[in-house]
Amino acid sequence: MNERPKILREDNTAGETVLAEVEEVIQLAVTIKDVAKKANVAASTVSRVIANSNRISHATKIRVREAMEELGYHPNFHARSLANKSTKTIGIIMPSSAKVAFQNPFFPEVIRGISTKAYQKGYGLYLSTGQTEEERFEEVVQMVEEQRVDGIVLLYSRKNGLIMPYLMKKNFPFVLIGRPYDLPDEEVTHVNNDNFKAAKMVTEYLSLLGHRQIAFIGGNMEYVVTIDHMKGYKKALEQAGIEVNDSYIVYHDELEEGGQEAVIELMSLQERPTALVVADDLMAFGVLRMLSDMGVNVPDELSIISFNNVMISELSSPPMTTVDIHIFDLGSTAVECLFDKMLDKHIQPKSVIIPHRLIKRQSCKKCNDKTLHS
Amino acid sequence: MNERPKILREDNTAGETVLAEVEEVIQLAVTIKDVAKKANVAASTVSRVIANSNRISHATKIRVREAMEELGYHPNFHARSLANKSTKTIGIIMPSSAKVAFQNPFFPEVIRGISTKAYQKGYGLYLSTGQTEEERFEEVVQMVEEQRVDGIVLLYSRKNGLIMPYLMKKNFPFVLIGRPYDLPDEEVTHVNNDNFKAAKMVTEYLSLLGHRQIAFIGGNMEYVVTIDHMKGYKKALEQAGIEVNDSYIVYHDELEEGGQEAVIELMSLQERPTALVVADDLMAFGVLRMLSDMGVNVPDELSIISFNNVMISELSSPPMTTVDIHIFDLGSTAVECLFDKMLDKHIQPKSVIIPHRLIKRQSCKKCNDKTLHS
DNA sequence: CTGAAAGCGCTTACAG
DNA sequence: CTGAAAGCGCTTACAG
């Protein structure tokens, strides 16, 4: 594949005409030496001009820059990285891009947050492509060992993950979006919402509206966010003097489809819930759809509240009351923390909590269940 | 930053103990030389083992592999790329990650298609981060000139883009998802749906249901897909003997919000449309929401049909009739074409059409407008 | 302020 | 089947 250019390079000494005949020649990258020759300086000087070293005279800088301009010079990324030990790129590890999960607008939105901040600092983004936890682990090892990235942001936190322990052992700069589970909180830098508090608040809100039969539809139980939601939900019930009813707690993985199954389960109970805490806006769409098929009116017969405030959540019927978790900020803050880590690997790990906010729309209403008045 | 390791390396000759004291030492990458020494061969032999060259004896391969294993060796990515002129990574150029557009599940889904195929071939993904067309153009130039990627997939096609002309001039391997506009169709490899035909089909379907007042809500006019949709729409009307009514044609950029404005515009007309062709499922959500606020019943008073069949489109009320454009296949096919291009830069450009399919749900109904019977 | 030289960690003709 | 050497295109002490 690169035989051709090789040969050309050797012919190069023979004269300009030979080169001109072969179109591929334009592909032949201009190197620092070419610039050096043209500007009548040494390669090292050109290098210093690139780095804008203040040990180079203004005149020389201008001359070199002109030469770079004229030749259309761009420094070779890999040569720089090799000499530098720096790649100016950060790795992003996403959870399984399983069809459904990845259609959740959460991910585009965090990535937008990450991307914006990374762009400002001149960093590029390298994306994981693995589908399983093992594949992704191998990718992380590769990113680290082959020195492809300077730092990593982990977009999810799960029980028994392989990735975090590995990164910690290597003392490789990374930040987690979410909260560590198996590892001590204070040992890993992470950016998170207070999901416990958010779920507690939401449940309290429902109980303030008079609901006592409040069900909980959680996401994948492997994810820490689900655990936190559940704890907050339980805590709120407890404080309100409502007994926790295990049949009111269901988990489902598959977002909207899951939401639908969960509804069937809950609405088949002797004592139907009058309110629902749903893990995710998308899931809530599935819930709503199912409920509408069953002829259950929201919010008259059932109140619903969910999390994330993803764009479409205001487009449901009725518009969804939800918790805005500021997804964009989660991403951009994570990158900021990552840069701190990259500057000093031994910096104290820190934990940043992005505030959440209740967005009241029209899916919740005062409870009018007769059991209330009994 | 890498001063420390430098010093260590020099002390290295002094003895093992010095090294053991400094934790950073584990970070010090194992190189091909270390492996060579351990396996008692030359570096070049190790290199050949990595490449699994058949000119190396089985016995040597095993010995070298053991050494690699024991030392935890991973070849340095940049050194390889530099020597190789190959990066094993492909660049993905996304349209502006403007808040709304990027929340469209279209992008996660194409990326999933791309990602899956890339993973199979051992390729990584490098993501554009620029917000404006100019920023993204600069990123592309950088990816190409600095030799960061072996190929590029462009996720969108727009009028007066800078990126494609540049890539063509460079003869750099890329494939477009969509269809070129300013450039001749047969000069750029692209993967697309037949958006003209899809829009035509959809409009015909509506007219078969008896609708004659069919409006069109298109997306961003800069994007080629919008133009194709519009042409298909017009063609169908023409063939059905329905006169094109310019006030029935509106464009909006901002997806759902846009969808809502468009509805106001259309429903304020003297002669309200009885059917709507909507550019995108997400936009259709906005349309539906607005209509529901206005008390217009879908599909009784107004039929709606949209494009993409994004996951949530079945969760609207009523469930949306839409055109499945097989987004995943768009992505994975694009990568296949890209690999062909990368293998042979001078391969004939080709155009692949991914079939579409009408998904009938419940947002369309026979027209019962009196104007029909007049 | 600038240059010559060594080095970053690989690959690949070339020679045997 | 294997090795010594040159080269990929940069950066960075070192010396002046």
Side-chain angles (χ1 to χ4, degrees):
Chain A
M1 241 168 95
N2 58 340
E3 248 109 88
R4 270 235 275 175
K6 262 282 169 49
I7 290 163
L8 285 172
R9 223 178 227 301
E10 285 165 12
D11 288 351
N12 210 342
T13 51
E16 299 282 290
T17 29
V18 184
L19 298 179
E21 280 163 10
V22 192
E23 54 158 323
E24 288 291 329
V25 118
I26 16 170
Q27 311 290 13
L28 225 51
V30 178
T31 77
I32 206 170
K33 283 185 189 166
D34 302 319
V35 176
K37 197 178 295 171
K38 177 137 200 156
N40 248 307
V41 294
S44 45
T45 300
V46 176
S47 176
R48 289 190 189 101
V49 173
I50 295 170
N52 199 21
S53 158
N54 51 17
R55 292 159 49 207
I56 300 293
S57 76
H58 192 61
T60 308
K61 276 186 185 175
I62 289 182
R63 195 150 36 89
V64 171
R65 285 196 183 118
E66 271 173 14
M68 297 199 301
E69 186 75 26
E70 278 175 52
L71 295 174
Y73 170 74
H74 292 264
N76 178 295
F77 170 65
H78 301 289
R80 285 194 86 159
S81 295
L82 183 58
N84 251 349
K85 303 288 166 209
S86 129
T87 68
K88 285 277 188 184
T89 111
I90 83 188
I92 297 185
I93 313 299
M94 307 201 289
S96 147
S97 50
K99 186 171 172 77
V100 172
F102 196 39
Q103 289 226 2
N104 193 324
F106 178 85
F107 295 104
E109 185 66 2
V110 229
I111 292 181
R112 198 173 64 90
I114 292 171
S115 174
T116 304
K117 190 62 79 184
Y119 184 85
Q120 289 167 12
K121 301 273 191 169
Y123 274 68
L125 261 31
Y126 189 79
L127 216 62
S128 74
T129 55
Q131 305 276 346
T132 67
E133 180 75 2
E134 291 68 36
E135 286 179 358
R136 266 172 274 130
F137 174 66
E138 282 311 323
E139 286 189 280
V140 168
V141 172
Q142 199 183 310
M143 287 186 195
V144 173
E145 302 284 352
E146 301 186 355
Q147 297 163 58
R148 277 173 185 255
V149 302
D150 294 341
I152 280 180
V153 11
L154 255 176
L155 294 198
Y156 67 102
S157 173
R158 55 173 294 169
K159 287 157 84 170
N160 309 315
L162 302 165
I163 295 171
M164 269 204 289
Y166 168 78
L167 291 173
M168 298 205 50
K169 197 186 68 193
K170 283 278 168 182
N171 193 26
F172 191 85
F174 78 98
V175 4
L176 169 68
I177 293 185
R179 170 176 90 68
Y181 185 78
D182 318 289
L183 272 23
D185 227 77
E186 60 285 359
E187 281 183 23
V188 1
T189 293
H190 58 285
V191 179
N192 198 12
N193 303 107
D194 191 335
N195 293 311
F196 169 84
K197 208 162 141 197
K200 179 159 165 285
M201 177 263 286
V202 142
T203 311
E204 283 164 353
Y205 173 67
L206 255 13
S207 103
L208 249 34
L209 290 178
H211 295 278
R212 297 188 67 80
Q213 277 125 41
I214 305 173
F216 171 85
I217 306 182
N220 187 331
M221 286 181 70
E222 295 290 301
Y223 291 105
V224 179
V225 54
T226 304
I227 296 165
D228 288 346
H229 278 160
M230 201 262 290
K231 284 186 183 159
Y233 159 80
K234 282 187 174 171
K235 183 72 175 182
L237 290 187
E238 191 184 296
Q239 288 189 355
I242 303 172
E243 209 174 330
V244 173
N245 177 346
D246 279 341
S247 54
Y248 277 181
I249 304 184
V250 295
Y251 301 95
H252 275 285
D253 194 356
E254 288 289 302
L255 290 181
E256 22 53 276
E257 285 92 343
Q260 307 206 37
E261 282 178 34
V263 171
I264 298 176
E265 234 178 290
L266 291 171
M267 298 313 272
S268 308
L269 293 174
Q270 277 294 26
E271 251 192 333
R272 290 184 169 188
T274 63
L276 252 45
V277 175
V278 181
D280 178 285
D281 288 333
L282 272 216
M283 205 177 232
F285 263 90
V287 169
L288 239 30
R289 165 89 257 122
M290 197 66 210
L291 254 13
S292 136
D293 289 353
M294 294 169 63
V296 176
N297 183 292
V298 175
D300 287 346
E301 299 173 59
L302 191 66
S303 287
I304 300 186
I305 199 163
S306 68
F307 296 89
N308 288 11
N309 193 30
V310 129
M311 182 194 77
I312 40 158
S313 73
E314 61 176 315
L315 300 176
S316 60
S317 325
M320 189 62 59
T321 292
T322 187
V323 179
D324 192 330
I325 58 168
H326 303 293
I327 303 175
F328 182 93
D329 296 345
L330 242 20
S332 65
T333 307
V335 173
E336 275 173 11
C337 294
L338 185 59
F339 283 132
D340 291 345
K341 265 249 148 159
M342 281 164 23
L343 280 179
D344 175 9
K345 280 181 147 189
H346 299 285
I347 202 176
Q348 188 68 23
K350 70 176 166 181
S351 154
V352 180
I353 298 294
I354 303 292
H356 56 257
R357 199 161 66 91
L358 182 65
I359 309 288
K360 273 185 235 166
R361 287 198 276 249
Q362 293 154 42
S363 61
C364 293
K365 204 173 167 181
K366 276 210 151 147
C367 180
N368 57 5
D369 196 326
K370 44 278 154 201
T371 56
L372 241 187
H373 313 286
S374 69
Chain B
M1 244 166 92
N2 58 339
E3 246 111 273
R4 266 230 281 173
K6 262 279 169 48
I7 290 164
L8 285 174
R9 223 177 226 307
E10 284 166 12
D11 288 351
N12 211 343
T13 52
E16 298 284 288
T17 29
V18 184
L19 299 178
E21 280 163 9
V22 192
E23 51 160 325
E24 288 290 326
V25 119
I26 15 168
Q27 311 289 14
L28 223 52
V30 178
T31 77
I32 207 172
K33 282 186 191 164
D34 301 319
V35 176
K37 196 177 297 172
K38 177 138 200 153
N40 248 306
V41 293
S44 44
T45 301
V46 177
S47 176
R48 289 189 190 102
V49 174
I50 294 170
N52 200 20
S53 159
N54 50 17
R55 292 160 46 206
I56 299 292
S57 76
H58 191 62
T60 308
K61 275 186 185 174
I62 289 182
R63 195 151 36 92
V64 171
R65 284 194 184 121
E66 272 174 12
M68 297 199 301
E69 185 74 25
E70 277 176 53
L71 296 175
Y73 171 73
H74 292 263
N76 179 294
F77 170 65
H78 300 289
R80 287 195 84 160
S81 295
L82 182 58
N84 253 351
K85 303 287 165 211
S86 129
T87 67
K88 286 277 188 181
T89 112
I90 82 188
I92 297 184
I93 313 299
M94 308 202 287
S96 146
S97 49
K99 187 172 171 73
V100 173
F102 196 39
Q103 290 227 1
N104 193 324
F106 178 85
F107 295 104
E109 185 66 2
V110 231
I111 291 181
R112 197 173 64 89
I114 293 171
S115 173
T116 304
K117 190 62 81 187
Y119 184 85
Q120 288 167 11
K121 302 271 192 174
Y123 273 69
L125 261 32
Y126 190 79
L127 216 62
S128 75
T129 54
Q131 306 274 348
T132 67
E133 180 74 3
E134 291 68 36
E135 286 180 358
R136 265 173 273 131
F137 173 65
E138 282 309 323
E139 284 190 279
V140 168
V141 172
Q142 200 183 311
M143 287 186 196
V144 173
E145 302 285 350
E146 300 185 356
Q147 297 162 59
R148 277 173 183 253
V149 301
D150 294 340
I152 281 180
V153 12
L154 255 176
L155 294 198
Y156 65 102
S157 173
R158 52 174 296 166
K159 288 157 83 169
N160 310 316
L162 302 166
I163 295 171
M164 271 205 286
Y166 168 77
L167 291 173
M168 299 205 51
K169 196 187 68 195
K170 283 278 167 179
N171 192 28
F172 191 84
F174 78 98
V175 5
L176 169 68
I177 292 186
R179 172 175 87 68
Y181 185 79
D182 319 291
L183 272 21
D185 227 74
E186 60 285 358
E187 280 183 25
V188 1
T189 292
H190 58 286
V191 179
N192 199 12
N193 303 106
D194 191 336
N195 292 312
F196 170 84
K197 208 161 139 198
K200 179 160 164 283
M201 177 263 287
V202 141
T203 312
E204 282 163 355
Y205 173 67
L206 256 13
S207 104
L208 248 35
L209 289 178
H211 294 279
R212 299 189 65 80
Q213 277 126 41
I214 304 172
F216 171 85
I217 306 183
N220 187 331
M221 287 181 68
E222 296 291 300
Y223 290 105
V224 179
V225 54
T226 304
I227 297 165
D228 289 346
H229 277 160
M230 202 263 290
K231 283 185 184 161
Y233 159 82
K234 282 188 175 171
K235 183 72 175 181
L237 291 187
E238 190 184 298
Q239 288 189 356
I242 303 173
E243 208 174 331
V244 173
N245 178 346
D246 279 342
S247 54
Y248 277 179
I249 303 183
V250 294
Y251 300 95
H252 274 285
D253 194 356
E254 289 287 303
L255 291 181
E256 21 55 274
E257 286 90 343
Q260 308 206 40
E261 283 178 33
V263 171
I264 298 175
E265 235 178 289
L266 291 171
M267 297 312 273
S268 308
L269 293 174
Q270 278 293 27
E271 251 192 331
R272 287 183 169 188
T274 65
L276 252 46
V277 174
V278 181
D280 178 285
D281 288 334
L282 272 216
M283 206 178 230
F285 263 88
V287 169
L288 238 33
R289 167 89 256 125
M290 198 65 209
L291 252 14
S292 135
D293 288 353
M294 294 168 65
V296 176
N297 185 292
V298 176
D300 288 346
E301 299 174 59
L302 191 65
S303 288
I304 301 187
I305 200 164
S306 68
F307 296 90
N308 289 10
N309 193 30
V310 129
M311 183 194 77
I312 39 158
S313 73
E314 61 174 316
L315 300 176
S316 60
S317 322
M320 190 63 60
T321 292
T322 187
V323 179
D324 192 330
I325 58 169
H326 302 292
I327 303 176
F328 182 94
D329 298 345
L330 242 21
S332 64
T333 307
V335 173
E336 276 172 11
C337 294
L338 185 58
F339 283 131
D340 292 344
K341 267 249 147 164
M342 281 164 21
L343 279 179
D344 176 10
K345 279 182 147 188
H346 299 284
I347 203 176
Q348 190 66 23
K350 70 174 166 182
S351 154
V352 180
I353 298 294
I354 303 293
H356 56 257
R357 198 163 68 89
L358 182 64
I359 308 289
K360 273 186 235 164
R361 288 198 276 249
Q362 295 153 43
S363 62
C364 293
K365 204 172 169 181
K366 278 209 148 149
C367 180
N368 57 3
D369 196 324
K370 44 280 155 201
T371 56
L372 239 188
H373 312 286
S374 69

